[in-house]
Amino acid sequence: MARVAYTENDVNLVARMMRAEAEGEGQLGMLMVGNVIVNRLVANCLDFRDLRSIYDVIFQIQGGNYSFEAVQKGNVFYNRARGVEKRLAKRVLDSWREHPSRFALWYFNPYAPCPPTWYGQPFTGQYKLHCFYEPAADTCEGVYMG
């Protein structure tokens, strides 16, 4: 059974986002970005309460801007998804989870060493240029169950 219900449009959205945010970090980097997207959908806590679809996650606005830089700036996000990204997106939507993104709700590229916390959330690890952060268990149980 898939981690979340999804449509072919959802696969395309996740694939485009993974490519736009992490194409330079290879397939594993793209999978980790996709995992954060799915985690935000299943978490239902903190900044990600009441998100009901992949579309809601991708186009969420926080602080007056889209949550994902690729949506804000457009860049590769508005290109069509390629076959490889679609296959990776389906893996993430179905079941794929791996450290350091396994329970992560946030990632970013600091262009410097990863800080030990980001907005009070603990650092879980780094893959190439992206730093990953997950919520404390007592603040967001949903991400650890989904």
Side-chain angles (χ1 to χ4, degrees):
M1 183 167 150
R3 287 188 66 205
V4 295
Y6 64 90
T7 66
E8 200 58 36
N9 188 49
D10 295 329
V11 171
N12 285 318
L13 281 173
V14 172
R16 288 170 34 208
M17 182 61 69
M18 290 180 352
R19 177 181 177 193
E21 292 276 324
E23 181 177 30
E25 298 196 355
Q27 291 186 11
L28 187 55
M30 288 190 285
L31 284 166
M32 289 187 189
V33 165
N35 193 59
V36 169
I37 294 167
V38 175
N39 286 348
R40 288 181 178 188
L41 182 56
V42 301
N44 198 29
C45 64
L46 303 170
D47 296 335
F48 312 108
R49 191 171 305 285
D50 299 324
L51 297 174
R52 299 290 180 236
S53 68
I54 293 295
Y55 182 93
D56 290 348
V57 172
I58 301 284
F59 293 102
Q60 182 184 24
I61 295 177
Q62 296 176 305
N65 290 310
Y66 290 110
S67 295
F68 292 103
E69 186 175 358
V71 178
Q72 289 176 33
K73 295 183 176 178
N75 65 18
V76 183
F77 177 70
Y78 291 102
N79 292 337
R80 290 178 351 144
R82 299 177 296 197
V84 66
E85 289 103 13
K86 288 180 185 180
R87 285 189 298 279
L88 294 171
K90 285 182 181 182
R91 283 182 65 193
V92 166
L93 290 161
D94 284 336
S95 63
W96 189 91
R97 297 174 95 172
E98 190 171 311
H99 181 77
S101 70
R102 183 177 179 101
F103 302 115
L105 292 177
W106 304 274
Y107 64 86
F108 81 112
N109 178 349
Y111 301 102
C114 297
T117 62
W118 194 49
Y119 293 101
Q121 306 305 323
F123 172 68
T124 59
Q126 181 173 357
Y127 183 75
K128 294 191 178 180
L129 299 177
H130 281 110
C131 304
F132 291 87
Y133 297 82
E134 67 184 47
D138 61 344
T139 63
C140 190
E141 292 178 4
V143 76
Y144 297 100
M145 296 194 285

